[in-house]
Amino acid sequence: MRKIYVIGIGAGDPDHLTLQAAKAIGRTDVFFLLDKGEVKESMIELRRRVLKSYGKLGRRIAEGRDPDRDRTPADYEGTIADWRHRRSEVTEALIREHLLDEETGAFLVWGDPSLYDSTIAILDEILARGDTRFDYEVIPGISSVSALAAKHRVGVNRVGKPFQVTTGRRLAEQWPDQVDDVIVMLDAHQTFGEVDNTDVDIYWGAYIGTSDELLISGPLAEVADEIRRVRAEARDRHGWIMDTYLLRRHP
């Protein structure tokens, strides 16, 4: 039977690759890449560097076009479900066309595959349709959350207290109940500017682990405007941005 690895490759630094991930890459015959367009070329290039360092001779690359989706939908959950379905069709076509029986394929996933990534759900949808058979294994990676905390030299949690990982969209609705430490991902609208900034610190990072890494921290009321400016300049320069931040409220 065909085997597929879902491999977390870290937040951007090739040295974040685990030994388990490197060994799996070395066993893989076909790597599947979904192209997000020219503005994401640097993301594809990191994957190619990883393959050059750890991939075996004769490895193959099968590329498909990642479907577009509405970034500001009225029906968020419905839009995501439709996008995942279309993405599963593209993925299934790649597997059926390029992965032979008894071969091993792999998806190289930014950060950790279990944290705000759709690859696992998409493979489950393909298997549920029953037309394409394979086994798959998930290999964890260093997430942007872990990398952010390490870069700022802070713990994600404080003693005896919970923390929550959420999205900018959910933070815009409300600060999570009974939580003082909130990690925010997938925030295209700088939602940190909409929360009550009284006694709140922010630890912000973009392109974490890459040569373009940006880090800003301090009282939210004092550094929010600087983050907005730096973020806008970086997005204009690169055409895309991936950022994560921790909001820490003083008790």
Side-chain angles (χ1 to χ4, degrees):
M1 181 180 289
R2 290 174 285 199
K3 172 74 174 284
I4 292 177
Y5 289 117
V6 181
I7 304 173
I9 61 172
D13 186 341
D15 287 344
H16 285 171
L17 207 68
T18 66
L19 290 175
Q20 184 185 18
K23 290 176 181 178
I25 289 171
R27 292 192 293 266
T28 297
D29 301 297
V30 184
F31 293 89
F32 301 105
L33 301 180
L34 293 184
D35 183 6
K36 297 177 181 290
E38 292 182 1
V39 296
K40 303 291 187 178
E41 179 59 30
S42 57
M43 299 170 72
I44 296 290
E45 181 57 29
L46 175 62
R47 290 185 173 98
R48 293 196 175 109
R49 286 171 56 196
V50 168
L51 297 188
K52 183 177 180 180
S53 296
Y54 300 103
K56 66 181 180 180
L57 294 176
R59 66 187 181 275
R60 310 190 303 277
I61 297 176
E63 297 190 51
R65 176 67 181 180
D66 198 13
D68 295 327
R69 68 178 175 91
D70 185 358
R71 296 289 173 174
T72 57
D75 177 12
Y76 179 80
E77 292 186 2
T79 298
I80 293 299
D82 173 71
W83 172 72
R84 283 188 175 181
H85 176 68
R86 290 184 288 118
R87 204 177 200 218
S88 76
E89 292 179 328
V90 173
T91 301
E92 184 171 13
L94 287 174
I95 294 171
R96 296 182 69 172
E97 180 178 354
H98 296 282
L99 189 61
L100 303 178
D101 195 30
E102 302 304 324
E103 282 193 324
T104 299
F107 293 87
L108 304 181
V109 175
W110 283 94
D112 183 88
S114 68
L115 187 60
Y116 289 108
D117 182 78
S118 63
T119 307
I120 294 172
I122 285 169
L123 293 180
D124 285 341
E125 181 174 332
I126 293 171
L127 290 172
R129 284 198 288 266
D131 298 323
T132 303
R133 297 183 60 200
F134 53 86
D135 185 24
Y136 78 89
E137 178 181 346
V138 178
I139 296 177
I142 295 176
S143 71
S144 62
V145 173
S146 298
L148 175 79
K151 289 293 184 176
H152 283 290
R153 297 182 296 179
V154 297
V156 172
N157 68 293
R158 286 180 284 182
V159 176
K161 293 190 174 184
F163 68 92
Q164 183 165 326
V165 181
T166 189
T167 64
R169 184 177 64 87
R170 296 300 298 270
L171 180 65
E173 297 172 359
Q174 66 174 25
W175 186 292
D177 290 337
Q178 300 180 336
V179 174
D180 291 325
D181 299 281
V182 181
I183 292 177
V184 184
M185 305 178 69
L186 306 177
D187 184 8
H189 304 290
Q190 299 115 88
T191 309
F192 56 80
E194 301 176 21
V195 305
D196 181 358
N197 61 21
T198 306
D199 293 327
V200 174
D201 291 332
I202 185 170
Y203 300 87
W204 177 85
Y207 314 108
I208 299 171
T210 74
S211 59
D212 299 310
E213 179 178 271
L214 299 168
L215 299 170
I216 298 174
S217 64
L220 179 58
E222 297 178 12
V223 301
D225 287 342
E226 180 185 1
I227 293 174
R228 291 190 190 95
R229 176 184 58 79
V230 170
R231 189 183 189 281
E233 291 173 354
R235 184 176 178 82
D236 288 343
R237 184 166 59 252
H238 297 287
W240 62 279
I241 191 165
M242 293 177 63
D243 59 339
T244 306
Y245 56 89
L246 164 65
L247 294 176
R248 172 152 288 169
R249 186 165 56 188
H250 299 289

